[in-house]
Amino acid sequence: MNLNEMAVFASVVEHESFTAAAKALGISKSAVSKQVSRLEDRLRIRLLNRTTRRLSLTEAGNLFFEKCQAVMDVAEQAEYAVSRLSSTPRGLLKINAPMSFGIKCMAPMLADFRTQFPEIEIDLVLNDQMVDLIEDGFDVGIRIGRLMDSRLIAKKISDCGMSIIAAPSYFAKGHTSVIPAELSGYNFLHYSNLNRVSGLKLIGENGTVTVPLTSDLSANNGDFILSAVQEGIGFACMPDFICHDAIKENRVVKILPDWNVDTDNAIYVVYPINRNLPPKARVFIDFIADYYGE
């Protein structure tokens, strides 16, 4: 069905004239006549009785006009609804984020966001696997570490501090006496969603050193790695947002506090490239950048 022909036909009936309908639609009278004729040919029935003085609807034309009006009303409602979405932040916002970051960091932020934008509904999907935002229909995502997908636009919202941690009793000499070279003799717990590395690069007052690593356990969730560290299975290099509370409560200790981990880890909000951002996504990106940037 050609909706344009339906719209032209409805305009002719409403204006009771081909000429008036053409003027209202901004097209020629002949174009209006041709579209109505094509519509009748396709339906194989006459819709209008034409005389030199007036137009009138046939029985079929009267029935078809009622249906056309209903279709045009739905189309106008759809256009109005979309135009409101394009200018006002509202609707369902689908977000993907890493499991540990979502659990530990996002609830307070989303509470503040919903207070400011109450017409936006949130569907937060937490997943430690690398989700395809485009294929799975997400509006935005949170990513930590090095970004690999060139189809995404990324906005950095915060640095991601990293700490080397172990259980208080893991190192025989006590954590304060450990030096970088000694780490290679202990078990490193690896976060498997990141590329496996053969060494840990550390920056100190006198320069940079790379510590070789050996590992017999890996997992795809940061909170599990933290639990394994607390059980004394090994040591780990973890984002501060995961291990901060455990360090504060002395469940784990920070190893080599005078050394910094050389990493380009950062926290990003990402969204698909070449896509017109709806207001709901645009305001979320600005909000989360301000929230975590501070």
Side-chain angles (χ1 to χ4, degrees):
M1 178 58 66
N2 188 318
L3 296 180
N4 190 54
E5 290 176 358
M6 294 177 67
V8 170
F9 170 74
S11 183
V12 169
V13 176
E14 290 167 356
H15 290 89
E16 299 181 342
S17 165
F18 280 80
T19 302
K23 184 177 180 180
L25 294 170
I27 59 178
S28 66
K29 179 182 175 181
S30 62
V32 171
S33 180
K34 286 179 182 178
Q35 293 207 48
V36 172
S37 295
R38 281 199 298 266
L39 179 61
E40 290 178 322
D41 290 343
R42 189 173 66 254
L43 295 175
R44 299 179 182 179
I45 195 168
R46 181 173 291 279
L47 301 174
L48 291 170
N49 292 314
R50 303 166 176 82
T51 68
T52 55
R53 293 186 177 183
R54 63 187 298 270
L55 295 173
S56 63
L57 287 167
T58 64
E59 181 181 0
N62 189 62
L63 176 61
F64 191 73
F65 176 63
E66 290 180 3
K67 303 302 182 184
C68 284
Q69 285 182 310
V71 171
M72 295 304 108
D73 288 342
V74 171
E76 288 179 3
Q77 291 171 19
E79 183 174 354
Y80 175 70
V82 171
S83 66
R84 291 179 69 221
L85 285 174
S86 68
S87 59
T88 305
R90 58 164 56 88
L92 180 65
L93 181 68
K94 193 172 181 182
I95 307 168
N96 173 247
M99 184 74 69
S100 297
F101 184 81
I103 293 173
K104 294 181 180 298
C105 302
M106 292 189 70
M109 181 274 295
L110 288 177
D112 290 350
F113 179 76
R114 289 281 292 115
T115 299
Q116 188 167 336
F117 300 101
E119 294 189 65
I120 297 179
E121 301 173 46
I122 301 296
D123 180 10
L124 175 63
V125 177
L126 302 179
N127 195 320
D128 282 332
Q129 300 298 320
M130 195 56 68
V131 172
D132 188 320
L133 295 188
I134 298 173
E135 183 176 331
D136 293 335
F138 287 99
D139 295 295
V140 296
I142 308 300
R143 295 288 182 266
I144 300 172
R146 190 172 300 172
L147 300 178
M148 305 299 291
D149 195 337
S150 61
R151 299 173 301 165
L152 300 178
I153 296 175
K155 182 174 182 178
K156 181 179 176 180
I157 59 177
S158 177
D159 290 319
C160 182
M162 304 289 289
S163 293
I164 305 171
I165 59 171
S169 59
Y170 182 68
F171 293 101
K173 296 180 181 179
H175 72 279
T176 56
S177 62
V178 174
I179 61 174
E182 292 182 288
L183 292 181
S184 60
Y186 293 90
N187 189 36
F188 178 72
L189 305 183
H190 174 67
Y191 178 58
S192 59
N193 280 345
L194 297 179
N195 293 330
R196 183 175 290 275
V197 293
S198 58
L200 191 62
K201 198 171 182 180
L202 303 174
I203 303 174
E205 291 183 358
N206 299 319
T208 301
V209 298
T210 300
V211 180
L213 297 174
T214 56
S215 176
D216 63 8
L217 186 150
S218 63
N220 69 342
N221 179 265
D223 285 299
F224 175 83
I225 295 291
L226 177 61
S227 296
V229 169
Q230 292 175 176
E231 293 297 325
I233 298 175
F235 75 99
C237 180
M238 305 203 67
D240 288 339
F241 68 82
I242 295 180
C243 63
H244 174 269
D245 289 345
I247 293 174
K248 185 178 179 180
E249 295 164 6
N250 204 40
R251 289 183 279 123
V252 299
V253 291
K254 190 170 182 177
I255 307 303
L256 304 173
D258 296 330
W259 292 78
N260 294 318
V261 180
D262 185 9
T263 176
D264 57 359
N265 273 1
I267 304 172
Y268 299 89
V269 57
V270 298
Y271 55 95
I273 199 170
N274 295 329
R275 177 179 292 180
N276 291 326
L277 275 179
K280 60 184 179 181
R282 193 178 304 115
V283 296
F284 177 80
I285 291 168
D286 292 340
F287 185 91
I288 194 172
D290 290 339
Y291 187 93
Y292 290 119
E294 297 176 355

